[in-house]
Structure formats: structure tokens, C-alpha cells
Amino acid sequence: MNPVLRVRPSGGPGGPLLDVRSGPFLLRDLVADPSLGRHRHRAGPLARPSLHGLVEDLAGADVRGRGGAGFPFATKLRTAAEAGRRREVVVNVSEGEPASFKDAALALTRPHLVLDGAALCARALGTRRVHVVLPGDRPGVAAALRRAVAERVQDGERLRWRLHTTDPGFVAGQGRAVIELLSGRPNLPVTAWAPEARAGYRGRPTLLSNAETFAHVALLLGAGSASYRTSGTADEPGSRLLTIGGESGRPVVVEATHGTPWRDLLDEPVLDRPVLVGGYHGTWAAPGALRDLTLSRTGMAAAGLTLGAGVVLPLAAGDCPVHRTAAVTAYLAGQSAGRCGPCRNGLPALTDGVRALDEGVDVSARVGELTRTVTGRGACAHPDGTARMVRSMLALFGEELDAHAAGDCTYRHADALPGPRSRR
Ligand code: SF4
């Protein structure tokens, strides 16, 4: 067994590498691009759960979406089942966020676990239509899933798999943007008046979730609800995948059970640095803030942090949180669809404001006001997430902003965090 498997989400030689660390469940016994035969040997035949049984199992184990919102998956499934008869299942593997690689890791090492989860849900919902949404900017991931689907078709699986490829871009993987893509329209978010589970693709009930969530469904069915519940904590059973930004610039995907102390997940020097938790739409954690916390949705929320899709970006030695916030804000402003006022006008203004802060101009009050102005006014949560990340910087790094205003930077500006770079 490989303790760490090195894979290439972009496919082919020469692209950036990703380290996938062996884990207890989803990432157990890692091999790259495993065959369906190998998967069946290990996981057994695909179950045929009743809708009621699957909903009960998911609710009993409190399986929640791993794409960011943490919505109870049993509720989503039940809603789709009750909303109408022509149901659709959508596996979203396009992570959108460039710093997130957890679904890429699953696609490259456990594609059939992900597809099993989708197939189980389709069987329970009485549909044969399953869409798989591939990331346009990660050809290696897309190729792994294409191969896996082709194997299943060749094996006689009686599902109608439909593959779609997103445009590159941060908002292209957003749920409504994916529904637009499936419908043949531009791959951009739009205002939704009802959840996808009620009215998604072609107005049909659509069970849409990310790859990791479907992998958990397969895991739960394979292990049994009682066994699944023995891992993690009583309130938050099971594990989750994290993408942790590495000092070398190479991210690592790890699987950890809920309740694991962050001290066991992050290296010692990193614990005493600022950490951007939850990705580019996340919140900054102060140096040392994670030291006494555990991997827990509720515990993190009590500390003002949200895990989102599990992206954890420790600041590299010598990097500055204000400088990094300016770079991420500029990147996010460039990723909007430019359709709504908060993105068209607000995010560029926010970018200018945070850049000015980085350059020592004290415009904190104006930047704080802008974060409030853009929040809650877009067709999607892109401006809200961007504002949240900026607000957390304002709240935590007042002393650093004072240092910048005085022409200093206590962190120094050494670029090392993976992701967007400012033009400084
Ligand atoms: S809020 Fe921004 S990203 Fe979202 S739909 Fe409107 S313009 Fe696009």
C-alpha cells in the first residue's frame, strides 16, 4: 500500500502534481486509476437500496454535502423523490476553486466509489439518468472518469451516463451554473427560485452533489450505517477530505475523521501562522487558532470558522495575510460572471480597496462598508464569499494593517501560498 500517491490532475507529463495521502475509508489502499474489476473485488456488488432505506441510513449517519454548504443529504434525496417522477442525478466533479483538489483526488484514485454512490442514488430514485460534470481545466481528472464510465457501460450497467465538461473558472462549478451547462446555456450561475432538488435540470427534481458526497453514500451502504457511525464523533460521524496547501506549492489531500485535532493534521510551524480556512470564500484563522480545535463543523463554527469544501491554506513563511487577501480578492473579482451589480462594480472596488490597504493606505472603513454593500445582492453567493474572506482579514489583522499604514510589513512579502498572485 502506498502511504502517499502522487497523481497529476492535469494528466500527461509535466503538469502540477498532487499528493494524496492514504486515509481510513475513502482513501484506503490507494492505487491510481483502479479498474472496475478491482473495485468490485474490494467493495462487492452494487447494492439496490430502497428509497426509504437509503434516506433512513443517510439521516441516521447524518451524511452532509461535502461541497461547502453541509446540507443534510437525506433531506436533499427525500426532496428530489417527493418533487416529481422524472428525476435526475448529477455528480459534480468540477471543483471550481483552484485550491481544492479533493474531488480530483477521488476521481484519480477511487472513481468507482464516486460512481457507485451516484448509481445507488439513481436506483433508489427510480431513474437511469446520471450526469457526471467534469472539470474543464483538469484533463487528467476528466480522462479518469471517462475511462471509469466506459468500463461500467462495457460491464453492462444499465444507467444512461451523460458526461459534461465545465468551462474553466471559479463559478463554473457552482450548482446553478452546472444546471445551466447541462441545459446547453452558458456555464454561469443564475438566480434560482427553488432548490435543484425540486426544480433543477429541465425543471425536474435533480439530486446534485459533489464527488465526495456520493463517495460517502457508497461507503455508508458498503459498511452499513451502524459501522459508519462508529467513526468520527457521536454528533459528526465519518470522515472528510481536506486539501491542505503545501509549503512547496504542492497541495496534499488527506482524509481525517471528524474530531481529529488540527494539531495532528498540520505541521507544527504552520499552526502558528495565519491559515485561510474554507478556501477563497473562507475565513482567516489567527496564528495558533487551530491549535486547540478539532475537525468539527460545529466546533469550527463556534470559533467563527467554516470548513466549506475543506480547503485549508496555511500562509507560507514570509507571506503576509493582507498581501495574500489582496491577491485572492483580485482573483475572485476576475472570476465573476460580471452580470450582477455586486460583481460588476462591488468586487473591483473591493479589490482596489484591499490593494490600497496592502500598499499602506488606510481605507479599512471603506473596505468594511464595501463588504457589507456587496453581500446578499448577487444572483449567487460569489460576492458574499469574497466579502466574508476580506472581512475576516479586517477583523484579525488590524495590527498588521497599522503596520502597513506605517510603511512596514511584519510578515514580509514572500509569495508561496498556492493560488493567485497579486501583481505587486
Ligand atoms: S453574483 Fe456575480 S458570480 Fe454570481 S451570478 Fe451574479 S455576476 Fe455572476
Side-chain angles (χ1 to χ4, degrees):
M1 183 181 62
N2 281 317
V4 176
L5 195 66
R6 192 155 290 172
V7 293
R8 219 179 278 277
S10 55
L17 289 162
L18 170 69
D19 283 350
V20 186
R21 205 179 288 163
S22 257
F25 308 109
L26 298 178
L27 299 181
R28 194 161 52 86
D29 302 334
L30 288 178
V31 291
D33 204 10
S35 67
L36 180 59
R38 182 188 171 104
H39 171 73
R40 283 279 165 263
H41 179 70
R42 187 174 145 181
L46 194 63
R48 188 175 285 280
S50 69
L51 178 64
H52 177 75
L54 185 56
V55 168
E56 290 286 298
D57 280 349
L58 289 166
D62 194 24
V63 173
R64 287 171 181 258
R66 300 298 207 273
F71 192 75
F73 196 65
T75 305
K76 210 184 236 192
L77 180 64
R78 193 188 299 115
T79 302
E82 291 171 355
R85 299 189 66 80
R86 301 202 68 192
R87 300 150 189 156
E88 309 278 337
V89 174
V90 182
V91 189
N92 188 1
V93 196
S94 67
E95 294 176 84
E97 169 142 359
S100 179
F101 287 94
K102 69 183 181 66
D103 290 341
L106 279 176
L108 291 163
T109 62
R110 304 294 305 275
H112 289 294
L113 193 67
V114 175
L115 299 178
D116 273 4
L120 289 165
C121 290
R123 284 181 167 191
L125 283 171
T127 181
R128 288 189 183 168
R129 290 179 298 275
V130 182
H131 305 261
V132 183
V133 180
L134 310 170
D137 52 357
R138 292 177 177 169
V141 171
L145 281 165
R146 277 201 189 92
R147 275 194 299 278
V149 166
E151 269 189 293
R152 298 174 83 104
V153 171
Q154 204 167 22
D155 196 51
E157 187 167 61
R158 297 181 66 207
L159 287 174
R160 282 187 233 129
W161 297 96
R162 296 278 180 271
L163 305 183
H164 312 263
T165 305
T166 58
D167 297 335
F170 193 89
V171 297
Q174 194 256 10
R176 277 289 155 180
V178 162
I179 297 291
E180 291 295 288
L181 171 74
L182 267 53
S183 308
R185 294 187 288 270
N187 182 199
L188 296 169
V190 292
T191 304
W193 306 110
E196 293 103 32
R198 246 180 230 298
Y201 174 58
R202 295 187 174 173
R204 297 172 187 162
T206 303
L207 184 73
L208 184 154
S209 201
N210 61 91
E212 185 188 351
T213 307
F214 282 111
H216 278 285
V217 173
L219 198 66
L220 172 70
L221 265 276
S225 183
S227 168
Y228 187 93
R229 285 200 69 99
T230 59
S231 63
T233 66
D235 290 339
E236 296 178 44
S239 65
R240 63 177 301 154
L241 299 183
L242 303 170
T243 311
I244 301 179
E247 190 96 42
S248 64
R250 186 165 61 238
V252 54
V253 173
V254 304
E255 181 187 11
T257 51
H258 291 124
T260 303
W262 282 100
R263 282 191 309 274
D264 296 349
L265 294 168
L266 299 176
D267 295 336
E268 190 54 39
V270 159
L271 285 165
D272 289 324
R273 292 188 201 147
V275 180
L276 185 54
V277 178
Y280 296 162
H281 278 175
T283 39
W284 283 101
L290 295 177
R291 191 172 278 285
D292 297 320
L293 293 177
T294 61
L295 182 65
S296 150
R297 196 181 58 256
T298 48
M300 301 283 285
L305 299 167
T306 168
L307 266 171
V311 180
V312 181
L313 300 172
L315 202 66
D319 205 353
C320 164
V322 180
H323 182 60
R324 186 54 47 196
T325 301
V328 174
T329 308
Y331 165 79
L332 292 173
Q335 293 296 308
S336 89
R339 291 171 156 183
C340 313
C343 276
R344 241 190 349 260
N345 308 314
L347 294 191
L350 197 58
T351 299
D352 290 345
V354 183
R355 195 174 281 147
L357 289 172
D358 184 33
E359 289 167 355
V361 185
D362 184 7
V363 288
S364 309
R366 165 84 180 132
V367 170
E369 189 186 315
L370 278 168
T371 64
R372 289 186 289 278
T373 304
V374 301
T375 298
R377 297 198 178 158
C380 77
H382 184 58
D384 306 44
T386 309
R388 178 170 50 240
M389 188 271 301
V390 171
R391 251 197 319 272
S392 72
M393 182 276 286
L394 293 177
L396 278 186
F397 301 109
E399 284 183 19
E400 188 56 30
L401 290 171
D402 291 344
H404 281 234
D408 195 9
C409 172
T410 54
Y411 287 86
R412 309 287 176 233
H413 292 175
D415 282 345
L417 193 71
R421 302 278 185 249
S422 78
R423 289 173 293 171
R424 174 178 264 265

